[in-house]
Amino acid sequence: MENWVRNNLVPMIQEATRITQSGEQGVYDTDALCRKLHVSKRTLQNWRDDGLIEFSQIGHKIYYTEKAVNQMLEKSKVKSSNSNYRGSYQ
């Protein structure tokens, strides 16, 4: 089974990750997601540990779908508490 994963699944994930870096596919490895969100690897680990973002792990490599990233961002949305804001600052 491990050989099948190494020979079949890992190359597919690598290709999906390569496509992601050109902005065409929704699968990110840790490095790509760190660059996209401008956060550290430790921040991503904290989010995983806290259950804030879904991920998949194959061996030691971790992957995130664009859907999981969007869900996390949507759940983390904070509405403005400034009811006096009228659309411009002077």
Side-chain angles (χ1 to χ4, degrees):
M1 179 68 167
E2 186 176 327
N3 284 337
W4 182 87
V5 169
R6 188 177 309 122
N7 294 332
N8 297 297
L9 193 55
V10 171
M12 287 188 293
I13 291 170
Q14 289 171 336
E15 177 62 22
T17 302
R18 192 168 24 263
I19 294 170
T20 297
Q21 293 169 354
S22 68
E24 297 174 13
Q25 177 68 347
V27 178
Y28 303 95
D29 66 8
T30 298
D31 291 332
L33 191 55
C34 285
R35 285 191 304 274
K36 180 177 178 66
L37 298 179
H38 303 284
V39 297
S40 68
K41 289 180 181 182
R42 182 63 202 177
T43 295
L44 285 182
Q45 183 176 341
N46 287 339
W47 291 348
R48 290 192 312 269
D49 293 346
D50 293 342
L52 297 176
I53 189 167
E54 293 180 358
F55 64 96
S56 298
Q57 183 171 357
I58 299 175
H60 297 286
K61 194 87 168 158
I62 296 175
Y63 300 94
Y64 309 86
T65 63
E66 190 162 353
K67 179 180 176 184
V69 174
N70 289 336
Q71 287 174 341
M72 181 205 57
L73 293 173
E74 191 64 32
K75 288 178 187 175
S76 302
K77 215 183 257 190
V78 178
K79 292 188 178 189
S80 173
S81 61
N82 186 350
S83 60
N84 296 324
Y85 178 68
R86 299 287 183 247
S88 64
Y89 285 98
Q90 296 181 11

